[in-house]
Amino acid sequence: NAFFPAHGQNTHRLQHDPCSWADEGRQSVKEITQVVRPSPAASRASRVDWAGDKRALQRRSGGAGSSRTTERKNRSISMSTRLETVQVGAPTGRLSDWVIAPVQFNSFERLTTVKGAFVSSPVFSCFGHQWVVMIHPGGDNISTDGYVSLYLGNQMEEAIEVQFKFIAKHPNGGEDICMRTGKLKKFSPKGSEVVGDVGPAHGYHNFALRSKLMDYLVDGALIVEMHMRTNKPGHQPAPFVPENPFLRNALADFGNEETADVRFEVGGAVECGKGRRKRAKTPTTAFHAHRYPLRMNAPALADMCKVGDDSPTAISNVRPEIFEHLLYYCYGGKIDQDDLQSKAKEIIEASDRFGIVNLKLEAEACYVDTVELTLDNIVEVVTYADSKNLALLKEHCMDFLSSANKIEVTEKVPFDSIPSYLMKDLLVAQARCETKSNVSGDLGLMRVSELRKLAHDKGLGVDGSREMLIASIKDNGEGGESES
């Protein structure tokens, strides 16, 4: 991930336009020059830093022109004069015009390609905030080999939301390289911790192959255009646009018998204990659904419904209450957290059976948060996790074993009952505990959640073991956006 070095550490002082860049006292390097030419829109935006809520002020004062003073002695009326509302802060509204800052890295070919090493620009101003652009010519610790990383960093103690894009234009009219955010990104204050997708810097760990960028040099310099825009200053409200009604309409059609083209009969028999022949009989419950959401979100369940067959599809070994949760999720619904916690294992098993991957992983994460591991139940939990391909739960079990007292583990845990191939996961957990340095770029030591996010960003499947996730990520080298 990108980070902010201390002044004088792994930084280069760049020549700069005194009107656009603030001198941070960094060491000058003649080979690297960075130029920013603010557009007229940027100059206008920098003069407006604060805006407020006119209507709130009017409500507190009783409305424009409502203040009156009655002079009782002569019965004359004195009218007050109302000035324009003083705007404080920038209310949410339409986005400003794009501000373009060309950033020029001279002698790009000679910049270090050591992984994790970076060059940081001097500070420049835009939208009343100070920024830096950081480039990792050899990629950051999480980049695919051969790729260059590029980040935009907030240098202020205040947060701001900005939409941005990096563009490297081909000098001979070829195809431009463009990486952009589709929405406003929240930049937290400088030096703050990353929380979810909010951090002090945003960018791309795999911006472009370094070998490809060599064809974009102009007199040895790499020029990257930094495009930025934010909420437009002023008090005009954003235009009202109704949200896409698909999800609301889909949920409204959930269980609609008149429009349904699929019917399920759920219940009738539920398996008892393992190895027993008898089954507990339960009453059946009818559910009506539609093929389209099932085909998109529960492919295995959709395949059980034969086209043209009006007879109900029988579903056994699932309680009707659990099956209703699954159907509701397929329509875009959100399962109540209490239900998810109390029925996590049942939801995991049913989701795994019918191919509802996202719900399976959500229930798994909930189960990991609630399960209490002990040396007495660790074998039972880890073998269950392995049988359902629950990589996050397996990792949780291995973390527990690696941090437990080794003597007690050897005395109480029957390792003969644990599949031998899971020992690799245990060694990975042990290595992660012993490694003090940053291992975020090492796929072999990455946590399951990190691997799943990487796979998801690349459009790959996320339901698999650690080995499956790592293999699919390596087979697909193209990277996506990262937060820092």
Side-chain angles (χ1 to χ4, degrees), residues 390-407:
L390 304 174
L392 186 67
L393 181 57
K394 280 195 289 185
E395 179 181 77
H396 183 57
C397 293
M398 296 309 170
D399 287 342
F400 172 78
L401 285 175
S402 64
S403 61
N405 182 282
K406 303 302 182 291
I407 300 299

Side-chain angles (χ1 to χ4, degrees), residues 14-26:
L14 310 182
Q15 296 178 13
H16 61 279
D17 180 350
C19 295
S20 304
W21 301 87
D23 186 357
E24 292 296 312
R26 301 177 184 172

Side-chain angles (χ1 to χ4, degrees), residues 4 129-131 152-156 158-159 187-190 200:
F4 297 101
H129 272 243
Q130 293 184 320
W131 306 89
L152 173 66
N154 178 22
Q155 293 289 280
M156 298 288 284
E158 296 83 25
F187 287 77
S188 57
K190 174 185 176 181

Side-chain angles (χ1 to χ4, degrees), residues 226-244:
M226 178 76 249
H227 294 234
M228 303 169 64
R229 66 178 180 176
T230 187
N231 287 323
K232 191 173 183 179
H235 55 272
Q236 68 274 21
F240 171 74
V241 178
E243 64 180 7
N244 191 317

Side-chain angles (χ1 to χ4, degrees), residues 202-253:
H202 292 273
Y204 302 91
H205 54 262
N206 287 347
F207 172 66
L209 283 168
R210 184 176 181 274
S211 58
K212 184 176 181 179
L213 288 175
M214 299 303 292
D215 296 331
Y216 286 71
L217 303 185
V218 179
D219 296 330
L222 174 64
I223 302 174
V224 179
E225 288 190 354
M226 178 76 249
H227 294 234
M228 303 169 64
R229 66 178 180 176
T230 187
N231 287 323
K232 191 173 183 179
H235 55 272
Q236 68 274 21
F240 171 74
V241 178
E243 64 180 7
N244 191 317
F246 178 83
L247 180 60
R248 183 179 67 253
N249 293 340
L251 286 172
D253 215 23

Side-chain angles (χ1 to χ4, degrees), residues 179-194:
M179 298 289 274
R180 69 182 69 197
T181 58
K183 59 182 180 179
L184 289 169
K185 288 287 185 180
K186 186 171 184 179
F187 287 77
S188 57
K190 174 185 176 181
S192 60
E193 296 293 330
V194 178

Side-chain angles (χ1 to χ4, degrees), residues 43-93:
S43 300
R44 292 195 302 271
S46 64
R47 291 195 294 266
V48 182
D49 286 327
W50 302 99
D53 191 341
K54 181 177 181 179
R55 291 173 295 179
L57 290 174
Q58 289 178 345
R59 285 196 296 270
R60 287 194 290 271
S61 62
S66 65
S67 177
R68 297 182 176 88
T69 303
T70 303
E71 300 292 338
R72 293 191 176 183
K73 291 184 178 180
N74 54 15
R75 294 297 181 181
S76 64
I77 298 177
S78 174
M79 299 297 293
S80 62
T81 301
R82 179 172 296 279
L83 300 177
E84 287 294 325
T85 301
V86 178
Q87 302 292 340
V88 180
T92 301

Side-chain angles (χ1 to χ4, degrees), residues 121-355:
S121 77
V123 175
F124 66 97
S125 298
C126 187
F127 306 130
H129 272 243
Q130 293 184 320
W131 306 89
V132 292
V133 175
M134 296 166 289
I135 189 169
H136 299 244
D140 60 19
N141 293 329
I142 203 173
S143 300
T144 304
D145 290 343
Y147 275 83
V148 172
S149 303
L150 204 57
Y151 291 91
L152 173 66
N154 178 22
Q155 293 289 280
M156 298 288 284
E157 298 301 325
E158 296 83 25
I160 185 175
E161 290 187 340
V162 168
Q163 186 177 357
F164 69 93
K165 55 186 173 182
F166 295 114
I167 300 178
K169 293 189 174 181
H170 197 284
N172 299 322
E175 182 181 1
D176 296 340
I177 299 174
C178 179
M179 298 289 274
R180 69 182 69 197
T181 58
K183 59 182 180 179
L184 289 169
K185 288 287 185 180
K186 186 171 184 179
F187 287 77
S188 57
K190 174 185 176 181
S192 60
E193 296 293 330
V194 178
V195 179
D197 63 349
V198 177
H202 292 273
Y204 302 91
H205 54 262
N206 287 347
F207 172 66
L209 283 168
R210 184 176 181 274
S211 58
K212 184 176 181 179
L213 288 175
M214 299 303 292
D215 296 331
Y216 286 71
L217 303 185
V218 179
D219 296 330
L222 174 64
I223 302 174
V224 179
E225 288 190 354
M226 178 76 249
H227 294 234
M228 303 169 64
R229 66 178 180 176
T230 187
N231 287 323
K232 191 173 183 179
H235 55 272
Q236 68 274 21
F240 171 74
V241 178
E243 64 180 7
N244 191 317
F246 178 83
L247 180 60
R248 183 179 67 253
N249 293 340
L251 286 172
D253 215 23
F254 173 66
N256 190 333
E257 297 184 22
E258 296 181 359
T259 62
D261 53 9
V262 175
R263 186 158 60 98
F264 296 98
E265 291 287 345
V266 182
V270 176
E271 288 185 357
C272 295
K274 185 176 180 182
R276 298 182 183 178
R277 294 183 178 180
K278 293 183 178 180
R279 295 185 176 187
K281 296 291 183 179
T282 60
T284 60
T285 303
F287 291 95
H288 295 81
H290 303 81
R291 294 183 187 277
Y292 181 75
L294 297 183
R295 182 163 56 87
M296 293 292 100
N297 303 307
L301 185 59
D303 290 342
M304 297 173 63
C305 307
K306 298 179 180 179
V307 178
D309 188 355
D310 295 333
S311 59
T313 300
I315 303 293
S316 60
N317 302 323
V318 179
R319 291 196 297 126
E321 182 181 1
I322 301 301
F323 191 79
E324 184 177 17
H325 283 316
L326 266 61
L327 284 183
Y328 187 67
Y329 187 87
C330 290
Y331 281 76
K334 182 73 175 177
I335 299 178
D336 183 78
Q337 189 67 18
D338 291 338
D339 286 340
L340 202 60
Q341 290 179 349
S342 60
K343 306 174 178 68
K345 290 188 70 173
E346 289 184 274
I347 293 175
I348 289 172
E349 293 172 9
S351 300
D352 184 60
R353 175 182 171 185
F354 299 122

